[in-house]
Each structure stands twice: as structure tokens, then as C-alpha cells.
Amino acid sequence: MNPPLQIAAFHSWPSDMDAIFWIHEEGLDDNCLEAYRKALQESTSVPLNIFVATGGEKMKSWDHLPSLLQSFSQHRLSRHSVVLTTGGGAMSDAVGFAASIWKRGMRVAHVPTTALAMVDAAWGGKTAFNYDGKKNQLGTFHAPLFVHIDACWLNTLPERHRRSGLAEVAKHAMLDPILGWNHLKDWPDWSPTDQDVLRTWTDRMKDSAEAKRRIVEEDPFETGRRATLNLGHTIGHAVEAHFSATDAPWLHGEAVALGLRFAIFMASESSSDDFQPLKDWLQRQVPLPSVVWPSANELWPIMTHDKKNSLGEVREVHWKGWGDVVWPQILEKDAFKATWPAFLRSEMESPHL
């Protein structure tokens, strides 16, 4: 296993910190937990309070917020305390929100344990709670002190979830000219006992997250360029919502992967560049459930409620090639109902499936 956290070397605790409240999900790798516990204790002399929670989307229900605030109260956390989360994106969303309103703002840091959280959810300072049956209706901007990535946490993550998170890795490579195809090619197969593989995954996840950090730093409150991080998400959110009410819901990354494949199809229609290696990578790394994909008539009504829309117009991020995007691109109903079936036909006819 890699040196666990080395928190003193990579991250500096605030000089006025009076306590660390470490909240981590249950069921994580025992070796990772023990190594991080020792590293945290050695990194500072302030009290280390440990709280074990059940992760997942239920953490973001409004009814769950009082229990988080009660745990802060019981441990007498102040504005000088630091909450450290170790879990998936739902945990960083929920705990980040609770920390942002505790004492008018308590500091937070994240050690994400899922591929999706490592490269996306834990970054950017967005917090969220679900409300009135709708996802992410409440939230704040509350930037973390740091986000620490270590692939060792992926050891206990189901393969489907690990692969799902790679959709966001592909998205960042598509958006960032520094990353591009070089970031994706020769991606090593997962092997939890191979230290070289763990180090490579850790480094590549860090590089992917850094691409998001650069965009967020330029536009922290999503008034411009940060909106391009929604590449693949107009379709993705609609697909995710479509299957959410079925017996076989799709994971977020799977739905985004389909949205990215649609973006690649649209770019291929107007570009002479060869995007087949990228399409093959997505198909191989993020395999999609074997079900009938929704039609344009099923997706469009959902897409009209996307939070990125404005003045009744469906807006999407249009990808033209590596590091070349247009935002906002207005998506017309008739145009979508013509291109989506063409995309589905191309996927069915693809010899690479």
C-alpha cells in the first residue's frame, strides 16, 4: 500500500484548528482506515473525533440534516474545527452543506472513496441536499481546504461503480487540452494488489481532478466556463431520470457515458478527426446496462426540466473536439428528435460494440 495520507507533507492544517471531526463511511477497506487514522493522529496534536456513517443518497435527504448537526453539537465543534469526510459524493455533498451552515461556516476537507467523487463530486465546493423529491435542490458553495486522492479506497468499491466514475475522467480529458487522448490511452486494468497500478490510478485520477480544479478556479460560482463541466449531462441526467423509476436504474456515470457518446457522434458529423479510439475507450471502460435505450420522445420532456435551461430553451455543451467546446448550445426539439434516432442506429451498427 502507498504511504497512506502523509497529510503533514501534502496538506497544512490551519494554525487555529481546535479539532478534527473525521466522518467516514462504513464498509471501507480496514487497512486504509487504520493507516489513515495513524497518519491523522501523527499530523496534529488536536483531538481526533471519529464518526462512522452510512453513506449513499439517503445522507442528502432533508430529514437527515438534523442528525449531522446534532453530531457537530455533541462533539462541540466550532468554526475553528475541521470536518474531514471519507466517502462518496453523497457524503461530501451532505457533510459539506452541514459544515457550511454550522456556526456560519466550518471548514471541511475530503478524502473521496469512489472514482466519481475523486474526479468530480468532491471538487468545486458545491454542496447539496435533496428536497421535495427533487435532487440537489438546496445547497451552498463551500470550498474544501483540500481533496486528497488515494486509489487504495477503490478496493472495496464494486466494479460497476468504479467503472462508472471513469465517465467523468473521459469528460475531463475531452474538455482539457492538457489532458486529451494521452490521458486515457494505455489506462491500466484495475488490480488492487499491484502497487504500480494503484500508483498509476492515483496519479491519473489526480490529473483528471486537476483539470476540473482549473476550470472551477476560473469560474467558482458557475457564471461562465464552469458550465462546460456539464458536457454529456443534458442527455445523461435525462437518461438517469428515465431509468430511476425502473427495476434497473442506471448509475450516474453510466448515463453520462451515454451522453458523451452522443456528443462524440455529433462532433463526428462535422469533424474530420478520428474519435473512434475515444468511443472504444468509453465502451470498454464504462459498459452500459443491456437494456433498450430510451427514445427521443421519452427523453425530451425530461430534458426540458434540466437546471441548465434558460427562457424555456434546452441548453447543452456542444463538443467539437479535444478541448474545443461551445456553451451554451441551444438544442431544438425537432433537431434532437432527428439526431437521436440516427445516433441510436449508429450505435447498433457499430462493429466495435
Side-chain angles (χ1 to χ4, degrees):
M1 178 174 161
N2 291 329
L5 185 56
Q6 296 188 355
I7 209 157
F10 292 120
H11 311 292
S12 298
W13 294 118
S15 59
D16 64 345
M17 181 176 67
D18 59 11
I20 297 175
F21 185 70
W22 184 24
I23 177 170
H24 68 75
E25 289 187 13
E26 57 188 2
L28 298 177
D29 186 277
D30 289 335
N31 292 328
C32 285
L33 285 171
E34 180 59 18
Y36 272 60
R37 184 189 63 78
K38 290 181 178 178
L40 285 168
Q41 289 178 327
E42 293 171 359
S43 71
T44 179
S45 59
V46 303
L48 173 64
N49 305 293
I50 301 176
F51 186 81
V52 182
T54 301
E57 200 68 13
K58 289 183 178 180
M59 285 199 76
K60 293 170 61 175
S61 68
W62 190 244
D63 292 340
H64 186 73
L65 180 60
S67 65
L68 280 175
L69 299 178
Q70 185 62 31
S71 67
F72 293 170
S73 178
Q74 290 175 344
H75 289 84
R76 298 185 178 182
L77 301 184
S78 73
R79 291 187 67 185
H80 301 290
S81 305
V82 173
V83 178
L84 178 68
T85 74
T86 303
M91 173 171 282
S92 56
D93 274 358
V95 177
F97 179 84
S100 74
I101 64 174
W102 182 253
K103 308 289 186 180
R104 296 198 178 97
M106 178 172 56
R107 293 165 295 199
V108 67
H110 304 304
V111 180
T113 61
T114 68
L116 184 63
M118 287 180 182
V119 300
D120 187 60
W123 296 85
K126 284 185 179 180
T127 73
F129 259 79
N130 304 330
Y131 185 73
D132 194 27
K134 300 179 181 65
K135 189 177 177 68
N136 297 342
Q137 293 298 295
L138 303 171
T140 58
F141 287 96
H142 191 56
L145 288 173
F146 61 81
V147 179
H148 186 89
I149 296 175
D150 188 339
C152 84
W153 296 107
L154 300 179
N155 287 342
T156 55
L157 193 68
E159 180 182 10
R160 183 184 175 193
H161 288 257
R162 187 177 65 249
R163 288 188 176 277
S164 170
L166 294 180
E168 297 287 350
V169 172
K171 181 194 76 176
H172 292 160
M174 293 167 70
L175 289 172
D176 193 290
I178 297 175
L179 296 183
W181 173 243
N182 286 334
H183 183 63
L184 302 178
K185 69 179 183 180
D186 303 323
W187 192 280
D189 292 334
W190 177 253
S191 178
T193 59
D194 189 323
Q195 294 302 309
D196 289 336
V197 168
L198 287 178
R199 278 190 288 270
T200 301
W201 271 68
T202 297
D203 290 342
R204 293 206 183 185
M205 300 297 258
K206 286 180 179 178
D207 290 342
S208 183
E210 180 64 17
K212 176 171 182 176
R213 189 199 63 78
R214 285 192 290 268
I215 293 174
V216 170
E217 190 173 70
E218 179 182 319
D219 180 21
F221 299 109
E222 201 170 16
T223 59
R225 189 186 174 204
R226 184 170 180 170
T228 64
L229 290 168
N230 288 296
L231 175 64
H233 283 62
T234 301
I235 298 293
H237 285 153
V239 171
E240 188 177 7
H242 171 81
F243 285 110
S244 66
T246 70
D247 294 333
W250 283 32
L251 299 178
H252 174 73
E254 293 169 340
V256 169
L258 184 57
L260 294 177
R261 284 159 67 165
F262 181 68
I264 295 167
F265 170 78
M266 295 295 289
S268 300
E269 294 290 289
S270 58
S271 174
S272 60
D273 291 344
D274 181 14
F275 300 126
Q276 190 63 50
L278 171 59
K279 180 179 175 181
D280 291 344
W281 191 94
L282 273 169
Q283 290 174 335
R284 183 175 63 257
Q285 297 292 353
V286 193
L288 302 183
S290 299
V291 296
V292 176
W293 294 349
S295 68
N297 286 330
E298 290 172 312
L299 291 180
W300 184 259
I302 306 174
M303 292 164 61
T304 61
H305 294 285
D306 192 278
K307 64 182 179 181
K308 300 183 298 297
N309 296 345
S310 179
L311 302 176
E313 296 175 324
V314 175
R315 306 197 300 174
E316 68 166 355
V317 181
H318 176 56
W319 189 69
K320 301 174 67 176
W322 300 104
D324 187 5
V325 295
V326 175
W327 165 262
Q329 179 81 20
I330 307 304
L331 190 58
E332 301 290 347
K333 180 179 180 179
D334 290 343
F336 176 70
K337 288 192 172 184
T339 54
W340 184 254
F343 164 67
L344 295 183
R345 287 194 298 270
S346 74
E347 290 286 320
M348 292 176 62
E349 297 166 358
S350 173
H352 299 271
L353 283 173

